[in-house]
Every structure is written in structure tokens, then in C-alpha cells.
Amino acid sequence: MSLARAKGCRDDDACRPCPPDLAAAAAAALADLRARTPLVQCLTNEVTTNLVANTLLAVGASPAMASAPGEAEELAAVAGAVLVNLGTLGPDQRAAVEPTVAVAAGAGTPWVLDPVAVGVLSVRTRLAGRLLAERPAVVRGNAGEVRALAGLATAARGVDARDGVDDAVVAAEQVARLTGGAVAVSGPVDLVTDGRTHVRLAVGHPLLTTITGAGCALGGLTAAFGAVADPLTAGVAATVALGLSAERAATVARGPGSFPAALLDALHALAPDDVAERARTAARVAVPA
């Protein structure tokens, strides 16, 4: 097996190791985040609100979890970044999402779209299509969700991805070019792209798939990093931060029950140099012809 394929790069991509400037930018983003403590307004999955909030606190951000119509928009006007996660689209959140995104977009506030189960459920699929017009800084989802956003067929079932990351490369490029931001596709080897540069990241641990909310937590981290960095760097920094923390947490956790606590501890202890070093070893970068 070639190194390129082992690290998740397609054979038709000219992959190279992580450039030093990208690793340094990811590390600087963590340092800036902790220095600035950005307020991250979260319209997120009710099932995972606690984990998302604690993940943001652990990395050094300040979470705001208000989702009531009226209040959500007020927070978006003053936040450093906004997360919109469509996981549990109840009446209040559904009413608040579009006005909140409009406020964020109007203020130039970076916001992240996590299109949970888009392509499977019709209401959220139509909503996500409208939200894309407001140009999220980063779209973060699994391969099926990203394919659906690009109008392609998907094999997804609920929130479970059946499409592989390689199946979503073209879709991710299309969505990134449409929004002018970045797209992060989660999988065994993650992809972050701005439509021009592909960054493949072989980082993380299988225990992430045994708990509820790992993807939601990654969305929150992406928003936090988006408050201090460009979209591509934010996607890379968030993926490396969560993945490396998961690797470290897995060495002390006894299973899915103790893993979330160990994950938060590891994220809290993460240093910028740790992010730079893991980015250098985990990332492969391609600029397709």
C-alpha cells in the first residue's frame, strides 16, 4: 500500500507532507483562542449540548447555548463565532436558525454549519439549502451530508454515514467554492478543503465513535477556531485538537463511559506545540490539478 493511500490521499492527488506554515498556523490558532476566549453562540443538538459546552470550555472558548428566538439573534450579534447544528430541530431552534444566521452573516461573524441528517430528512435538507446561501465559514459533516448539500445522492441512514470520505471529495469542493469557505468531512481519515487545497488528516481514535456527540463537539471546536483563524486553518486545527485529545484520552479511559471525561481533560491540557507536531505527522496535503 502506498503512503498516499495509507494516509487517505487519492492516487490522483499529488500529496505531500503537512507544510510547516499550516502546522504553525494551527498551533497559533490554539494560542490565539486561549488568549482571546471567544464567545461561541451555539444553536446545537439538544442531546449533546452539555458535551459541546464543556468541549468549548476545555479548549479555552466561552460557550453560549441560548436557542430561544430573539435571544439567539442577540447573542449572534456579539459572538466571536456561531455554531448551527441541525441535530434536533425543534420548534424554537427551527424558528431561531435563519434569523440568527442572517445576523451573523450581516455582522461578518464566522459561522459553522453542521448539517446533521441532511439528505435523509426533508425539512432540514431544505433548510440547509437556504442556509448555504448565507455562506458559512465552515461546513462540517459526514460524507453523506456533504454529498447531499451538493445535490448528490447519498447512502446515509439517519446520522450514520455510509458514504466514504473519498465519495465526498467532489461534493466538498463544490460546497466550498459555493460558500467561499471550507468544508470538513469526518471519517476514518478526515478531509478539510477550501475547494483548492485538500488536507487529509489521519488522527483520532475509534472510541470517538462510541459516544454521542463527538461530531457535535468537533463542530463547536471548529466554530471556536473559526473566531481566530481562516476557515481552512480552523477546520484543520479543530480536527487535530479533537483527534489528538482522543488519542491521549484513549490511553487512560476504560471505555465509553470514562472516555468523555478523559477527552475533556486531554483537550484542556493540549498545548499549541502539541497541535503543531500532530499536524505535521497526521496531515497530507494535495492541490489537485
Side-chain angles (χ1 to χ4, degrees), residues 20 22 49 114 122 212 217 267 289:
L22 179 58
T49 298
D114 193 335
S122 59
T212 298
L267 187 59

Side-chain angles (χ1 to χ4, degrees), residues 130-271:
R130 296 194 298 272
L131 293 175
L132 278 184
E134 298 289 355
R135 299 169 65 89
V138 184
V139 173
R140 193 228 67 82
N142 64 39
E145 292 158 352
V146 172
R147 283 180 59 86
L149 285 176
L152 302 177
T154 173
R157 181 188 65 182
V159 299
D160 297 326
R162 292 187 171 184
D163 302 283
V165 173
D166 281 349
D167 298 322
V169 172
V170 172
E173 290 176 347
Q174 291 175 351
V175 173
R177 289 169 180 162
L178 175 66
T179 63
V183 176
V185 187
S186 297
V189 177
D190 292 63
L191 166 70
V192 183
T193 181
D194 60 3
R196 299 174 300 277
T197 299
H198 294 171
V199 183
R200 300 293 188 112
L201 293 155
V203 62
H205 193 275
L207 276 174
L208 284 168
T209 67
T210 69
I211 64 171
T212 298
C216 300
L218 181 55
L221 285 176
T222 303
F225 280 106
V228 299
D230 66 87
L232 185 70
T233 300
V236 170
T239 301
V240 172
L242 186 69
L244 175 55
S245 297
E247 291 169 351
R248 291 179 169 179
T251 66
V252 296
R254 298 177 61 186
S258 56
F259 179 67
L263 180 66
L264 294 174
D265 287 344
L267 187 59
H268 181 70
L270 203 62

Side-chain angles (χ1 to χ4, degrees), residues 43-44 56-57 64 92 99-100 115 161 175 178 186 217 226-227 241 265 268 280 289:
L43 286 169
T44 193
L56 288 168
L57 287 169
D92 278 355
T100 299
V175 173
L178 175 66
S186 297
D265 287 344
H268 181 70
R280 282 192 289 267

Side-chain angles (χ1 to χ4, degrees), residues 17-20 23-24 27 201 240 273-284:
C18 181
L201 293 155
V240 172
D273 286 348
D274 299 330
V275 171
E277 177 59 29
R278 193 66 183 95
R280 282 192 289 267
T281 59
R284 293 294 182 270

